[in-house]
Amino acid sequence: MKRSSKSEATRQHILETSFPLVLQKGFVGVGLQEILKACDVPKGSFYHYFASKEAFGCALLEQYITYYKDQVEQLWQLTDGSAYARLMALWQAWIEDPIRGGWAENCLIVKLAAEVSDLSEDMRQILNFGVNKLTERVAALLEEGQQEGSIPAHIQPFKMAQVMYQLWLGAALLAKLAQDKAPLHLALETTQNLLQPIKD
């Protein structure tokens, strides 16, 4: 049974209004009353759309992963040039996007990965799915770059995509801890070095 447009709009309002709260305070750190107050909806309405706070968290993460995927694809469509150039545009956006701010600062995966992995198996699986999908997409771009010659042929695309994501996730956490983007700039330099051709 499909939700009415009004019902869907209310559900969407709850998710969108709650996003900055969860991004700032974490999932556990935001209480239900705070969500209800920010969204200006009664508790009964919340439970009409979400069976529990965990179900709300799952919906929030699913929406974020879809949004992030679309954001990456849009960035790559707007970036002229090689697969290498598009890949660098992604990591540059993690540091600074003039429109949205640095992606690393606004990433729910960076914020919630450690917290929800022990808290909710369903939320952990959603986050893990999102990470795997991004890694696969980066690997595909690396393969495309190898075919066109912008990415060195000796690289193993999927392994390199995993290494890159691990590097950038760690850098994002350290940047948040230090309140300094230096770890992200070092990650960019390291990524560029990883993609250098082997010298004879």
Side-chain angles (χ1 to χ4, degrees):
M1 181 177 176
K2 287 190 174 182
R3 297 187 186 94
S4 68
S5 57
K6 183 178 180 181
S7 175
E8 182 58 39
T10 302
R11 182 179 185 275
Q12 190 63 24
H13 168 69
I14 295 171
L15 291 172
E16 290 180 359
T17 305
S18 302
F19 175 83
L21 292 174
V22 176
L23 185 64
Q24 179 186 11
K25 296 186 174 183
F27 184 73
V28 174
V30 177
L32 182 57
Q33 288 301 323
E34 190 172 3
I35 293 172
L36 297 176
K37 182 177 179 181
C39 300
D40 194 24
V41 296
K43 185 182 290 188
S45 292
F46 179 89
Y47 284 117
H48 173 72
Y49 300 108
F50 308 104
S52 62
K53 189 184 177 190
E54 182 182 11
F56 156 77
C58 289
L60 188 69
L61 291 178
E62 286 172 343
Q63 177 169 285
Y64 176 73
I65 287 167
T66 299
Y67 161 78
Y68 189 85
K69 174 182 176 294
D70 292 343
Q71 187 176 231
V72 170
E73 296 298 338
Q74 182 182 32
L75 175 69
W76 285 348
Q77 287 172 9
L78 295 173
T79 304
D80 294 328
S82 65
Y84 176 87
R86 279 177 279 154
L87 184 60
M88 290 301 110
L90 171 62
W91 302 131
Q92 287 279 6
W94 271 51
I95 299 173
E96 192 62 57
D97 181 332
I99 298 175
R100 302 180 179 92
W103 290 13
E105 299 169 13
N106 300 301
C107 181
L108 271 188
I109 295 175
V110 172
K111 182 69 177 182
L112 299 185
E115 178 185 345
V116 305
S117 292
D118 295 328
L119 179 70
S120 165
E121 178 62 14
D122 288 342
M123 293 174 72
R124 184 197 68 77
Q125 288 184 8
I126 292 167
L127 280 177
N128 192 50
F129 173 81
V131 168
N132 288 338
K133 285 300 179 184
L134 177 61
T135 303
E136 290 170 5
R137 188 65 185 88
V138 170
L141 188 63
L142 289 169
E143 288 181 351
E144 181 183 332
Q146 287 179 321
Q147 292 168 8
E148 71 185 16
S150 67
I151 299 293
H154 72 274
I155 285 171
Q156 298 179 56
F158 189 69
K159 282 187 177 181
M160 181 59 73
Q162 289 179 307
V163 167
M164 283 183 185
Y165 191 80
Q166 291 165 14
L167 168 67
W168 280 90
L169 184 62
L173 289 170
L174 290 173
K176 186 179 288 290
L177 185 65
Q179 293 293 291
D180 188 329
K181 292 188 177 183
L184 295 170
H185 287 286
L186 182 58
L188 182 63
E189 181 183 335
T190 303
T191 300
Q192 291 167 335
N193 290 336
L194 286 170
L195 297 179
Q196 289 295 314
I198 294 177
K199 295 181 180 179
D200 296 331

